[in-house]
Amino acid sequence: MAQVEKRGGLLRKSSASKKPLKEKVVLMYDEIFMTEDPSKCSPRFWEELFLMKVNLEYLEGKLESLDGEELMKIKDNINCLFQHCIQALGEDHPIRVVNALQTLCALIRGVHQKNKSTSGFDIINMLMGFDKAELCMKNLMESLDSLLCAEGSESLKSLCLKLLLCLVTVTDNISQNTILEYVMINSIFEAILQILSHPPSRREHGYDAVVLLALLVNYRKYESVNPYIVKLSIVDDEATLNGMGLVIAQALSEYNRQYKDKEEEHQSGFFSALTNMVGSMFIADAHEKISVQTNEAILLALYEAVHLNRNFITVLAQSHPEMGLVTTPVSPAPTTPATPLGTTPPSSDVISSVELPLDADVQTSNLLITFLKYSSIVMQDTKDEHRLHSGKLCLIILTCIAEDQYANAFLHDDNMNFRVNLHRMPMRHRKKAADKNLPCRPLVCAVLDLMVEFIVTHMMKEFPMDLYIRCIQVVHKLLCYQKKCRVRLHYTWRELWSALINLLKFLMSNETVLLAKHNIFTLALMIVNLFNMFITYGDTFLPTPSSYDELYYEIIRMHQSFDNLYSMVLRLSTNAGQWKEAASKVTHALVNIRAIINHFNPKIESYAAVNHISQLSEEQVLEVVRANYDTLTLKLQDGLDQYERYSEQHKEAAFFKELVRSISTNVRRNLAFHTLSQEVLLKEFSTIS
């Protein structure tokens, strides 16, 4: 018997006969692409169509091959196919439902693809017809809602979510996708929450559900009232919020694990041996080679949850039993996105046999720790645009957390101590920190460590000014909370002061280059005012009186940097150039720092002269400082503990529009044909003839 090969919807005999034979489903598609109603000659046409295995590639390709005029000629048949797909969703026969869902995916994508080149028709009219669109979409959304909430097939639920993701992401700019108006009116919000609140469905579909919700929240969020924003902001069900947190934590943990694996693999490889041989010449290049693709979609979901829902803040500190040190899980582990991460949805073959273990020396973890570790990796390298956007989003999320009263309460809670192993960028002048020596501290210490690490590692020619400003703002907001609540945090503040002074030195030494692109005085003013916060209110939140003495010691020790800064801003504020006003603000802000330097330096010199000491030790300088506090006069500066609260709409709208566009493109790209394959579905429904 002749062997039969299948290719692109054609059946070809490998015998002498050359004429290809088309699959029956392809012949039926061809009938739809005629101008005649296919059911005229064959009354059971639509009934039979949905029993046939869908050929997605052929159907979508056929739609794309037609021009706008040709497509308009078969509009009635396309409308009819769309309506019969929706009808089939209500049937008891699972295979018909599967085929209808897949056909809808191909229809929506094919018609939208055509619209990119031809604007001669309206997509809603092309798919459904204006007169029937409202009813069609109402029925479609109700059917999808029922399938998602039902006890039935997990594969069907997965396909429903993929159809919805397909529907949402067919346009790069989701706010231009007019079909989503019907998704706003006929909400599936409750169905998404149900998936997240039930562990079995969350493990199977949590990732897709969270990404879908994040995208829907961003539909025309600045132009109209988006019901998904309103509903997400008032969710208070603990199981649902925890479920969402677990999905996000799982995806971020998977990223962290992949990065760690690649790092270890890299360090044990040939390149590492070569690097050791020739020193650390190539350490920066070595680092770049181990980058893992970032996951902006899941990060956007975390941002929306933190930004919109006050109740979600509690989830950040919840320990994760599913991600702790477990031996044998009772149920399957959560599905996690496959490599490369990006916005790739999870697939059923990625389910691991055990939950992700935490570091051996950490008994518990939570979403905030996982996020801080993720941020420490992403923020290492901001040269790449995706990583720059991810780093910015991480800092925006930290800004929202730093402004929240409840978040600050658990960040600073002495009874909630954790050992957080942040990733540190390899640098020539410092050794890699030993993970085992990390102390257990309140979580705010890890946030401050992350900010200090960023400050120290990004002083470069392509200066990320925007990220630096956000970084300093996070530190400032945390200090404002500590001052307000008189929290005496046992932290190595000297590392922060040293990092800030080094940053000022960098700004001054690169003044000409940086001023061509940035207003460096905004950042300089913020840094100086951080020191003013410590000088004015440090006695209320620094852990000990000696910490306050150390602050003065650090200012006096580095007085040359502050003197140089004063000279620079004085020069620019007395000229009539564009930086006059900005520079003069820094001049005024330096008044107390200069008062400290001018008050103590003569006293230190006098002490050295009287005692015939050429170079004083730190303890001797501190002795002079303590003895001369009483005669120091400082000016009271207003507004040091005030800040402008974060506002997305006014300042970040352009960033989020671009970010969502990028995520939409990635999600659409990852909804490839193989992810909609019928093989798994047919196995599940193998009992049906």
Side-chain angles (χ1 to χ4, degrees):
M1 192 174 165
Q3 193 180 359
V4 176
E5 290 179 32
K6 180 181 161 189
R7 202 173 283 170
L10 302 177
L11 296 174
R12 190 185 69 196
K13 285 189 178 180
S14 57
S15 66
S17 173
K18 298 285 183 184
K19 191 176 178 181
L21 300 172
K22 288 187 176 181
E23 286 179 80
K24 183 171 180 183
V25 73
V26 169
L27 291 169
M28 295 181 86
Y29 291 155
D30 287 344
E31 285 187 58
I32 294 168
F33 286 94
M34 304 290 182
T35 50
E36 291 292 316
D37 178 355
S39 62
K40 269 187 181 177
C41 301
S42 175
R44 290 174 57 83
F45 179 87
W46 299 111
E47 197 177 324
E48 287 177 17
L49 178 68
F50 295 110
L51 289 172
M52 302 284 160
K53 182 179 175 181
V54 176
N55 189 324
L56 279 165
E57 196 170 353
Y58 184 84
L59 181 55
E60 203 168 323
K62 188 81 175 173
L63 284 164
E64 286 179 30
S65 69
L66 302 176
D67 64 31
E69 239 177 82
E70 289 172 321
L71 209 52
M72 282 306 291
K73 286 178 184 173
I74 59 160
K75 179 181 116 36
D76 290 346
N77 283 357
I78 299 288
N79 289 174
C80 212
L81 174 58
F82 198 88
Q83 285 162 33
H84 278 91
C85 283
I86 294 168
Q87 283 173 25
L89 295 182
E91 303 226 5
D92 295 331
H93 206 310
I95 292 295
R96 293 170 67 82
V97 178
V98 167
N99 290 331
L101 286 167
Q102 293 192 310
T103 305
L104 283 168
C105 281
L107 263 181
I108 292 162
R109 291 208 303 195
V111 171
H112 262 285
Q113 196 67 31
K114 179 49 54 192
N115 191 49
K116 285 183 180 178
S117 54
T118 312
S119 55
F121 60 87
D122 184 280
I123 288 160
I124 293 173
N125 189 33
M126 190 67 233
L127 286 172
M128 298 165 260
F130 286 131
D131 53 336
K132 300 192 181 80
E134 199 170 321
L135 183 60
C136 263
M137 286 304 295
K138 181 175 182 288
N139 292 337
L140 173 61
M141 296 308 293
E142 283 177 358
S143 294
L144 293 175
D145 188 75
S146 299
L147 289 166
L148 288 171
C149 294
E151 289 291 320
S153 157
E154 295 302 330
S155 296
L156 270 183
K157 289 182 184 180
S158 176
L159 208 48
C160 286
L161 286 167
K162 290 196 190 307
L163 172 60
L164 285 162
L165 283 169
C166 174
L167 191 68
V168 173
T169 62
V170 279
T171 54
D172 289 347
N173 182 350
I174 65 169
S175 294
Q176 290 176 352
N177 185 354
T178 45
I179 293 179
L180 291 190
E181 283 298 329
Y182 299 107
V183 183
M184 295 294 119
I185 297 164
N186 305 286
S187 174
I188 46 143
F189 184 80
E190 284 70 24
I192 293 172
L193 293 200
Q194 187 173 312
I195 287 168
L196 296 176
S197 62
H198 290 79
S201 63
R202 184 184 69 239
R203 280 190 280 268
E204 288 289 329
H205 317 295
Y207 186 89
D208 280 349
V210 163
V211 171
L212 176 63
L213 182 58
L215 289 168
L216 288 171
V217 161
N218 279 277
Y219 174 72
R220 302 193 69 194
K221 69 192 312 191
Y222 309 119
E223 294 98 59
S224 59
V225 177
N226 180 323
Y228 290 85
I229 292 177
V230 177
K231 290 179 178 182
L232 179 58
S233 67
I234 57 173
V235 174
D236 59 0
D237 178 65
E238 196 177 333
T240 305
L241 293 171
N242 281 340
M244 189 174 185
L246 282 165
V247 171
I248 294 167
Q250 185 69 39
L252 296 180
S253 287
E254 176 64 12
Y255 176 93
N256 296 346
R257 186 189 61 76
Q258 284 185 31
Y259 182 88
K260 193 172 183 182
D261 288 351
K262 284 201 173 188
E263 191 177 43
E264 286 170 1
E265 180 188 318
H266 185 82
Q267 284 168 354
S268 61
F270 169 77
F271 195 87
S272 177
L274 179 66
T275 305
N276 291 337
M277 248 170 24
V278 298
S280 57
M281 283 169 62
F282 306 113
I283 202 157
D285 298 326
H287 172 68
E288 281 168 21
K289 288 180 186 294
I290 56 168
S291 63
V292 180
Q293 190 181 335
T294 50
N295 192 338
E296 282 92 2
I298 214 74
L299 211 54
L300 178 67
L302 175 60
Y303 164 74
E304 296 297 357
V306 168
H307 179 231
L308 294 173
N309 191 303
R310 287 294 309 280
N311 301 312
F312 189 80
I313 293 291
T314 63
V315 175
L316 294 173
Q318 289 280 346
S319 61
H320 281 157
E322 288 193 357
M323 302 172 68
L325 296 170
V326 290
T327 47
T328 310
V330 179
S331 50
T335 309
T336 55
T339 311
L341 273 169
T343 45
T344 312
S347 55
S348 55
D349 61 342
V350 196
I351 299 176
S352 52
S353 58
V354 292
E355 302 284 2
L356 286 173
L358 298 164
D359 297 344
D361 53 347
V362 180
Q363 292 306 305
T364 56
S365 186
N366 55 45
L367 175 54
L368 183 61
I369 292 173
T370 306
F371 167 65
L372 289 173
K373 288 183 179 183
Y374 176 89
S375 300
S376 70
I377 298 169
V378 167
M379 286 162 59
Q380 286 181 54
D381 176 21
T382 55
K383 295 186 187 83
D384 168 75
E385 191 181 2
H386 276 290
R387 293 172 80 81
L388 182 68
H389 284 168
S390 271
K392 181 172 177 174
L393 189 49
C394 287
L395 285 167
I396 290 174
I397 293 167
L398 284 170
T399 301
C400 294
I401 291 169
E403 285 183 7
D404 187 89
Q405 188 77 6
Y406 180 79
N408 268 304
F410 71 71
L411 280 175
H412 292 85
D413 191 341
D414 260 337
N415 299 312
M416 289 176 64
N417 291 324
F418 294 90
R419 190 175 285 114
V420 184
N421 178 23
L422 299 175
H423 288 263
R424 285 158 61 89
M425 189 187 285
M427 295 182 81
R428 295 181 187 91
H429 62 270
R430 69 178 184 187
K431 291 179 180 177
K432 194 178 189 305
D435 300 345
K436 302 291 178 189
N437 299 334
L438 292 168
C440 271
R441 302 172 298 169
L443 282 169
V444 69
C445 295
V447 179
L448 289 166
D449 283 350
L450 182 62
M451 297 301 98
V452 169
E453 177 67 11
F454 181 84
I455 292 167
V456 169
T457 55
H458 288 78
M459 296 179 222
M460 52 195 177
K461 195 161 56 176
E462 290 298 317
F463 190 71
M465 176 63 81
D466 179 57
L467 300 192
Y468 265 106
I469 286 173
R470 292 174 193 280
C471 177
I472 302 298
Q473 284 173 339
V474 169
V475 175
H476 179 234
K477 286 168 184 181
L478 294 172
L479 291 183
C480 288
Y481 174 83
Q482 290 167 25
K483 179 257 173 186
K484 177 185 170 187
C485 298
R486 294 182 172 263
V487 177
R488 295 192 181 276
L489 183 69
H490 287 271
Y491 182 70
T492 48
W493 291 110
R494 205 172 239 188
E495 287 184 12
L496 174 64
W497 300 331
S498 174
L500 292 171
I501 292 167
N502 284 331
L503 179 54
L504 282 176
K505 285 163 74 175
F506 176 82
L507 294 179
M508 287 183 284
S509 60
N510 295 276
E511 176 195 342
T512 312
V513 177
L514 292 174
L515 275 177
K517 296 179 182 177
H518 311 287
N519 176 2
I520 61 171
F521 303 107
T522 304
L523 182 58
L525 180 64
M526 292 170 75
I527 296 166
V528 170
N529 278 338
L530 276 188
F531 278 103
N532 286 331
M533 269 284 282
F534 282 105
I535 293 163
T536 310
Y537 303 116
D539 60 328
T540 66
F541 64 82
L542 285 171
T544 59
S546 63
S547 302
Y548 195 73
D549 301 337
E550 284 169 12
L551 167 68
Y552 277 67
Y553 173 78
E554 207 62 33
I555 291 169
I556 295 160
R557 186 176 73 85
M558 300 302 292
H559 72 89
Q560 195 61 57
S561 298
F562 291 109
D563 291 343
N564 292 345
L565 176 63
Y566 182 74
S567 300
M568 183 181 88
V569 293
L570 190 64
R571 166 170 49 84
L572 288 159
S573 62
T574 50
N575 294 339
Q578 70 176 111
W579 306 116
K580 181 181 170 73
E581 190 183 340
S584 65
K585 285 181 182 175
V586 183
T587 312
H588 294 130
L590 281 164
V591 61
N592 280 344
I593 292 174
R594 284 179 50 73
I596 291 167
I597 292 166
N598 293 335
H599 176 74
F600 286 107
N601 264 358
K603 304 237 178 336
I604 290 165
E605 286 165 13
S606 170
Y607 179 92
V610 168
N611 293 283
H612 306 292
I613 305 169
S614 58
Q615 198 168 354
L616 298 184
S617 67
E618 181 178 335
E619 196 45 56
Q620 287 168 327
V621 172
L622 287 171
E623 189 184 321
V624 176
V625 167
R626 291 185 192 108
N628 290 280
Y629 272 134
D630 294 347
T631 51
L632 173 66
T633 307
L634 297 174
K635 286 189 177 178
L636 187 63
Q637 293 174 305
D638 294 328
L640 292 174
D641 58 344
Q642 305 295 313
Y643 58 81
E644 186 183 350
R645 290 189 68 83
Y646 169 77
S647 169
E648 179 190 321
Q649 186 166 351
H650 299 109
K651 294 191 174 179
E652 312 295 348
F655 167 71
F656 279 101
K657 279 179 181 173
E658 195 51 46
L659 182 74
V660 173
R661 179 188 287 269
S662 167
I663 291 168
S664 177
T665 306
N666 270 314
V667 171
R668 183 174 67 246
R669 190 183 298 132
N670 288 312
L671 281 172
F673 288 114
H674 69 271
T675 66
L676 301 169
S677 167
Q678 272 192 325
E679 287 174 24
V680 176
L681 298 155
L682 289 171
K683 278 180 190 171
E684 189 174 334
F685 306 131
S686 57
T687 52
I688 299 158
S689 57

